[in-house]
Amino acid sequence: MSATTIPVPVSPVSPATAVPVRITAGWRGLISDWSSDREAFHVSWGKAMMWIFLLSDTFIFSCFLTSYMTVRVSSTVPWPNPSQVFALNIGGSEVPLILIAIMTFILISSSGTMAMAVNCAYRRDRINAAALMLVTAAFGETFVFMQAFEWSKLILHDGVRPWGNPMGAAQFGSSFFMITGFHGLHVTAGVIYLIVIAVRLLRGHYEKTGNYQIVEIAGLYWHFVDLVWVFIFALFYLW
């Protein structure tokens, strides 16, 4: 006797319902891949996001400095002489740019201590890494205090304002306070950032995961702040 095949009814799937299913599955796969990944292009997400932030900040500072150079070149009123504006009276004689030279030395030195902190962090020496980050933060805070002293001298003693300047072009005050103030805000934020990371290091927060890359990410921000100051120093104080 021959075997009898009984057909099993199969409900047809219309193209209208098949396409959304495939699209939903594709999106779920994409979301799963992105949520499970910790690195993209062999770079951690934290470091990649910091680079993106620094790139956007570079555009902002570039616009500010380009605008400053444009205003200075196109000004018909004589621009103040930086050697006279930023001079300090020491022992009865005017010493040009002495305060700015000390500020620059402090900020550049802080890059060295930050680099040593990153080196200690990758060697899992969290005590020395935290100590060096606190030293870096102290350098940054000293820089901010010296900048505040410079501002107070210009405002109270020399009468410089964002809308006027008795020593020459009126645009000098607005350009100077805007750009150096914006940079000083970055330094202040960096000091707070370094202190928070240093405290977490001392408390052993990163011992659980063994991931000390956060110190390098903080170092990227700090080195960027130092690099921007080099351009501000060259354009405002040496030009």
Side-chain angles (χ1 to χ4, degrees):
M1 184 174 63
S2 61
T4 303
T5 304
I6 302 174
V8 179
V10 179
S11 60
V13 180
S14 64
T17 51
V19 173
V21 170
R22 289 198 296 267
I23 293 177
T24 303
W27 276 109
R28 286 178 178 173
L30 180 63
I31 294 172
S32 176
D33 291 342
W34 277 69
S35 61
S36 61
D37 279 347
R38 297 182 59 188
E39 296 187 353
F41 306 109
H42 304 290
V43 177
S44 67
W45 287 113
K47 189 184 292 187
M49 292 301 103
M50 177 57 75
W51 277 115
I52 293 173
F53 169 75
L54 295 181
L55 181 62
S56 64
D57 233 17
T58 301
F59 291 148
I60 297 175
F61 275 108
S62 298
C63 291
F64 282 172
L65 293 175
T66 303
S67 300
Y68 163 74
M69 290 186 289
T70 303
V71 167
R72 179 166 180 176
V73 171
S74 61
S75 176
T76 57
V77 181
W79 203 263
N81 187 353
S83 298
Q84 298 175 358
V85 175
F86 302 107
L88 285 183
N89 194 318
I90 301 177
S93 60
E94 295 289 331
V95 181
L97 301 177
I98 181 64
L99 180 65
I100 311 305
I102 297 174
M103 291 169 58
T104 304
F105 176 77
I106 289 174
L107 203 58
I108 297 301
S109 299
S110 69
S111 279
T113 55
M114 189 67 234
M116 290 189 289
V118 174
N119 187 21
C120 290
Y122 276 117
R123 289 192 284 107
R124 296 179 178 271
D125 186 0
R126 62 184 180 89
I127 303 299
N128 285 328
L132 287 166
M133 291 185 74
L134 292 175
V135 171
T136 305
F139 279 148
E141 194 61 28
T142 304
F143 174 88
V144 172
F145 282 136
M146 296 179 75
Q147 191 173 62
F149 172 78
E150 177 190 39
W151 275 38
S152 63
K153 175 182 176 296
L154 289 175
I155 295 172
L156 302 177
H157 183 266
D158 299 329
V160 180
R161 300 289 187 273
W163 54 85
N165 172 33
M167 295 177 288
Q171 298 92 332
F172 169 80
S174 58
S175 301
F176 176 79
F177 290 127
M178 180 184 67
I179 296 178
T180 58
F182 192 59
H183 178 265
L185 182 64
H186 277 70
V187 177
T188 304
V191 168
I192 298 173
Y193 185 26
L194 293 179
I195 292 175
V196 170
I197 299 300
V199 171
R200 290 165 72 91
L201 277 174
L202 291 175
R203 291 179 176 177
H205 178 80
Y206 303 108
E207 288 288 328
K208 304 172 185 177
T209 60
N211 184 13
Y212 287 93
Q213 196 178 66
I214 186 65
V215 180
E216 182 184 1
I217 295 173
L220 290 175
Y221 176 85
W222 194 257
H223 293 318
F224 170 79
V225 170
D226 292 355
L227 180 61
V228 169
W229 176 253
V230 172
F231 288 95
I232 295 175
F233 175 76
L235 292 176
F236 265 106
Y237 302 102
L238 298 183
W239 183 14

